[in-house]
Amino acid sequence: MELITILNRCHRFRGFVYQHAYFSADKKSIEVAVRPRKGSAAVCSRCHLPAPGYDQLAERRFEFIPLWGFLVFLLYTMRRVDCRRCGIVAVEEVPWGDGKRTLTKAYMLFLARWARRLSWKETAEAFRTSWDKVFDAVEHVVTFGLEHRVLGQIDAIGVDEIQYAKGHKYLTLVYQIDLDVTRLLWVGRERTIESFRGFFAVIGDELASKIVFVCSDMWEPYLKVIREKCSEALHILDRFHIVAKMNKALDEVRAGESRRIASEGGVPVLKKSRWLLLKREENLKTEQRFRIRDLLRYNLKTVRAYLLKEAFQQLWDYSSPAWAGKFLNDWCRQVMRSRIEPMKKIARSLREHRELILNYFRAQKLLSSGVVEGLNNKAKVTMRKSYGFRTFRCLELSLYHSLGKLPEPESTHEFF
Ligand SMILES: [Zn+2]
């Protein structure tokens, strides 16, 4: 079987023929000459309609999917058309390329699929191509996906912030968290009122007004935009965000106290206790349990903060908003007497957002809880994979690519 036969089977285009295939001089790649079929007119790249020929440009090389360890290039001399409809001389449109890039569409889709499983760097290495080309491939596929995705009705959204670089650089991520669809809808720079409003500009007022649930953390700019854009929706402070905040406060207490003990030359009892304290007690291994029991004997602020944090977990066991509210009041009152400032700060903020927290219990049966946390974890894994290239554009593309569930461009063949 000849290579041309295979190409005609998997990558055939009306109006073009594969002429012949040969090895390059160094025998490392296969080059396939492509020419227009006789009598078929070139297509104007502006209006996508056939137009009379004008002249020819230099030959271009389009990178195709590698075969048996050989790089494969399609060689084609682009024509220019004199398009009367557009009133210009334009380069023709070729069905295997996107007009900008040197990779064929088939190869871009192939690389982009691998770039979802591997890091971009690993993908480039595995297929002997460059990181920039993998970037191009993902950009091509994501751009197509965003242009062709169907938003439809959105019942529930979750908004989340994620830190992506040192120096407080944040992204705002908006997820759809309907019971049957969970996907990333939007990525924005920063975590400001302006950035979150950008999401609502994309979906439009019509869809926004139909949103029934919104999950968020206690970040004030988000709360403000939600009040403004989704005033009808039930706004819920997500459990995951509250737990995360609590852990942060506890960590602050521990770090402060640990420093104080060290500066006073005391016994460093808090050394290496960080993960011990942040883990839920039921998730500790036996020896860790002994260590924590040992730690609890000391009269430390950290210990008291830890006990408060553990006691707070009971909140999530309630199903009635009224009982949950009563528990919350009691817990906050106790904390306000504790003289542990980071914990008091949490209690004040919980009091302030009491109704939004209780909405969690009002909506419990209707939302799959933990979904925002799951998506947040996936987003973090995606960001780790693109480590080293933390520009906004790269992160935006890789996040949409991994979590957006975007439609993919059609392919002439399933190149698995
Ligand atoms: Zn035209």
Side-chain angles (χ1 to χ4, degrees), residues 261-294:
I261 294 172
S263 75
E264 290 168 358
V267 185
V269 283
L270 286 170
K271 215 176 166 196
K272 293 192 178 162
S273 65
R274 185 170 185 219
W275 297 112
L276 218 54
L277 294 162
L278 294 183
K279 260 191 174 175
R280 292 296 317 280
E281 203 198 340
E282 66 235 36
N283 299 335
L284 293 174
K285 293 190 194 105
T286 316
E287 77 265 23
Q288 292 176 315
R289 234 167 252 196
F290 282 126
R291 275 208 61 202
I292 202 115
R293 233 172 270 170
D294 190 40

Side-chain angles (χ1 to χ4, degrees), residues 16 36 40-42 55-57 76-81 90-92:
F16 300 90
S40 77
D55 62 358
Q56 288 190 330
L57 299 174
Y76 180 71
T77 305
M78 305 285 281
R79 294 169 288 179
R80 287 203 300 175
V81 294
V91 183
E92 74 172 310

Side-chain angles (χ1 to χ4, degrees), residues 45-106:
S45 55
R46 170 131 14 134
C47 63
H48 314 295
L49 292 166
Y54 182 77
D55 62 358
Q56 288 190 330
L57 299 174
E59 186 180 72
R60 271 181 66 179
R61 293 161 66 85
F62 293 90
E63 212 169 325
F64 191 63
I65 301 166
L67 180 70
W68 294 326
F70 298 107
L71 298 178
V72 178
F73 294 94
L74 307 182
L75 273 44
Y76 180 71
T77 305
M78 305 285 281
R79 294 169 288 179
R80 287 203 300 175
V81 294
D82 182 6
C83 181
R84 259 158 271 160
R85 266 178 306 268
C86 300
I88 51 160
V89 171
V91 183
E92 74 172 310
E93 179 178 83
V94 290
W96 59 81
D98 76 346
K100 285 186 284 188
R101 302 179 177 97
T102 59
L103 303 177
T104 54
K105 287 181 185 171

